[in-house]
């Protein structure tokens, strides 16, 4: 159902002269990394636009958010109309244009009822609701630029996977293009909607799908490990706690546990650290690491180490979550039995 709707939209978006003719669809997120938990009712679809070269200027000290400008007049003339008065590429303008095309186009989709949900402030996604009785499916469409140039300096010390996946793999990853998503930086004083955030979902997907220290890990004839099982449990635990305490835990999302999980893979790099039969033990190790991070309010972004995903201003909710997790750990996870 999702594929049918998305292919229809992609064709329509390309055929309009809105400047999106080069857009390609890429699937991101948990469903495609095979670590989706619960219902397959949420999908992330990246609409990727290739851009030759951009000038990236950090918009703050996280090293994750950038203003984009063209070094010289771009081959992609169609992008010029999305520049703001300072000559920066406006995420807001591009999203608005894309949103309009999609809003018009969903009306032409026969045999499926699709609506575009109201815009959420600062969200990089255009969200579709697909009626699929008895439930609904939501699809987040994320506008992404793919830039063929080297990764910015803030990533230099990140992706510490040498011991885990090897130096060669790290080098190969760092040769891949940069992805930037139209994401509002909340820390900006004036929200002008012209910041873009680095995204590594293509690399994360590659790491998830080729996660072994040995090449044969989890292949049909190779030994099986419990890495994905751990990540699924971590995500499920957070999801259940968020349902129980929506107010206190609204700051947290699955990306927090995914990041903690990647750091755990680096701390325990060998496949022998992740025997399939040791799932409970490995899960508790990952959780222990995550609780440590919460207590210190320090969880470095896996690719941009200077960027702390847990801010000190949220110390109270970090501590709240760490208490809840400890309670679960010490009582054999009552929330899994509920």
């Amino acid at each position: 159902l999702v594929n049918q709707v998305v292919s229809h939209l992609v064709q329509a978006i390309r055929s309009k002269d809105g400047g999106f003719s080069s857009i390609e669809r890429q699937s991101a997120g948990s469903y495609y990394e095979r670590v989706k938990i619960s219902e397959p009712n949420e999908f992330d679809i990246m609409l990727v636009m290739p851009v030759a070269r951009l000038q990236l200027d950090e918009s703050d000290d996280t090293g994750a958010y950038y203003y984009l400008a063209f070094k010289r007049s771009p081959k992609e003339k169609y992008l010029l109309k999305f520049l703001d008065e300072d000559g920066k590429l406006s995420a807001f303008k591009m999203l608005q244009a894309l949103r309009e095309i999609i809003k018009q186009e969903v009306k032409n989709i026969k045999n499926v009822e699709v609506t575009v949900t109201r815009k959420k402030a600062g969200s990089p996604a255009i969200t579709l609701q697909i009626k699929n009785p008895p439930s609904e499916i939501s699809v987040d469409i994320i506008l992404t630029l793919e830039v063929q140039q080297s990764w910015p300096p803030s990533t230099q010390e990140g992706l510490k996977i040498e011991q885990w996946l090897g130096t060669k793999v790290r080098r190969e990853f760092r040769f891949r293009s940069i992805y930037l998503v139209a994401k509002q930086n909340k820390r900006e004083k004036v929200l002008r909607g012209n910041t873009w955030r680095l995204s590594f979902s293509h690399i994360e997907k590659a790491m998830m799908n080729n996660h072994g220290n040995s090449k044969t890990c989890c292949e049909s004839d190779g030994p099986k490990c419990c890495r994905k099982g751990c990540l699924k449990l971590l995500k499920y635990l957070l999801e259940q706690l968020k349902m129980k305490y929506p107010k206190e835990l609204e700051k947290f999302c699955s990306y927090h546990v995914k990041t903690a999980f990647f750091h755990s893979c680096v701390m325990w790099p060998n496949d022998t650290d992740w025997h399939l039969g040791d799932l409970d033990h490995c899960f508790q190790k990952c959780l222990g690491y995550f609780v440590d991070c919460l207590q210190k309010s320090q969880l470095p972004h896996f690719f941009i180490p200077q960027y702390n995903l847990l801010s000190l201003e949220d110390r109270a909710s970090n501590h709240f979550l760490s208490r809840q997790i400890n309670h679960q750990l010490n009582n054999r996870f009552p929330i899994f039995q509920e």
Side-chain angles (χ1 to χ4, degrees), residues 239 243 307:
E239 195 175 275
M243 276 160 69
Y307 180 21

Side-chain angles (χ1 to χ4, degrees), residues 6 20 49 51 65 157 166 182 247 297 309 317:
V6 173
F20 296 106
M49 289 182 78
V51 184
Y65 289 91
E157 300 299 314
K247 198 107 195 82
S297 288
L309 296 177
S317 48

Side-chain angles (χ1 to χ4, degrees), residues 242-274:
K242 273 175 73 85
M243 276 160 69
K244 203 167 168 178
Y245 306 105
K247 198 107 195 82
E248 295 87 343
L249 299 181
E250 66 179 347
K251 286 267 192 291
F252 296 99
C253 64
S254 64
Y255 198 71
H256 288 105
V257 290
K258 190 181 186 183
T259 300
F261 167 74
F262 282 140
H263 286 301
S264 302
C265 288
V266 165
M267 283 188 297
W268 299 291
N270 301 315
D271 297 346
T272 47
D273 300 322
W274 301 88

Side-chain angles (χ1 to χ4, degrees), residues 7 90 98-99 133 151 175 184 193 233 240 258 267 289 292:
S7 326
S90 165
L98 187 58
R99 195 186 174 83
W151 293 15
F175 274 127
Q184 187 55 66
L233 281 175
Q240 296 304 102
K258 190 181 186 183
M267 283 188 297
Y289 168 72
D292 263 0

Side-chain angles (χ1 to χ4, degrees), residues 77-308:
K77 293 279 177 268
Y78 54 83
L79 287 176
L80 293 175
K81 63 172 177 228
F82 298 125
L83 298 180
D84 64 12
E85 54 281 6
D86 308 334
K88 294 192 183 80
L89 192 55
S90 165
F92 174 73
K93 281 186 178 177
M94 284 186 80
L95 270 178
Q96 213 176 14
L98 187 58
R99 195 186 174 83
E100 279 315 305
I101 297 175
I102 292 175
K103 259 164 73 174
Q104 289 313 310
E105 199 47 50
V106 291
K107 299 173 187 162
N108 302 331
I109 300 181
K110 308 284 176 275
N111 66 22
V112 195
E113 197 181 321
V114 186
T115 48
V116 179
T117 61
R118 282 201 44 222
K119 192 171 176 312
K120 287 205 291 290
S123 160
I126 297 167
T127 305
L128 309 176
Q129 288 303 93
I130 302 177
K131 273 258 186 308
N132 181 34
S135 62
E136 294 222 323
I137 297 174
S138 79
V139 179
D140 276 352
I141 292 183
I142 298 149
L143 175 62
T144 310
L145 304 178
E146 177 180 6
V147 194
Q148 301 282 338
Q149 65 193 48
S150 49
W151 293 15
S154 64
T155 63
Q156 198 57 54
E157 300 299 314
L159 190 60
K160 282 266 159 271
I161 57 172
E162 291 89 346
Q163 302 298 306
W164 167 33
L165 298 174
T167 314
K168 222 162 87 193
V169 173
R170 182 178 191 269
R171 200 166 46 241
E172 190 258 306
F173 282 162
R174 289 186 56 92
F175 274 127
R176 296 197 189 180
S177 24
I178 312 174
Y179 280 24
L180 293 147
V181 295
K183 176 75 176 120
Q184 187 55 66
N185 183 359
K186 300 219 175 43
R187 303 185 190 187
E188 257 198 319
K189 305 287 178 288
V190 189
L191 295 180
R192 289 219 303 284
N194 58 1
T195 54
W196 297 76
R197 191 187 65 201
L198 288 175
S199 160
F200 298 92
S201 56
H202 53 318
I203 310 290
E204 290 162 15
K205 188 170 161 183
M207 292 195 301
M208 286 308 310
N209 292 336
N210 221 332
H211 54 250
N213 186 246
S214 75
K215 290 286 164 268
T216 54
C217 185
C218 288
E219 283 184 3
S220 51
D221 47 356
K224 304 277 181 278
C225 79
C226 65
R227 287 182 182 90
K228 281 191 174 182
C230 272
L231 178 55
K232 285 182 179 177
L233 281 175
L234 290 166
K235 288 174 54 160
Y236 185 64
L237 177 61
L238 180 62
E239 195 175 275
Q240 296 304 102
L241 287 170
K242 273 175 73 85
M243 276 160 69
K244 203 167 168 178
Y245 306 105
K247 198 107 195 82
E248 295 87 343
L249 299 181
E250 66 179 347
K251 286 267 192 291
F252 296 99
C253 64
S254 64
Y255 198 71
H256 288 105
V257 290
K258 190 181 186 183
T259 300
F261 167 74
F262 282 140
H263 286 301
S264 302
C265 288
V266 165
M267 283 188 297
W268 299 291
N270 301 315
D271 297 346
T272 47
D273 300 322
W274 301 88
H275 278 305
L276 192 56
D278 296 339
L279 177 61
D280 53 349
H281 171 68
C282 294
F283 171 56
Q284 294 187 39
K285 273 201 315 195
C286 289
L287 215 42
Y289 168 72
F290 185 47
V291 168
D292 263 0
C293 294
L294 289 166
Q295 282 165 348
K296 298 195 239 86
S297 288
Q298 270 297 330
L299 174 61
H301 189 289
F302 192 66
F303 298 83
I304 310 169
Q306 70 194 59
Y307 180 21
N308 177 18

Side-chain angles (χ1 to χ4, degrees), residues 306-323:
Q306 70 194 59
Y307 180 21
N308 177 18
L309 296 177
L310 297 172
S311 75
L312 291 163
E313 296 96 83
D314 302 328
R315 217 186 251 120
S317 48
N318 295 342
H319 288 171
F320 181 86
L321 180 54
S322 83
R323 282 197 302 280

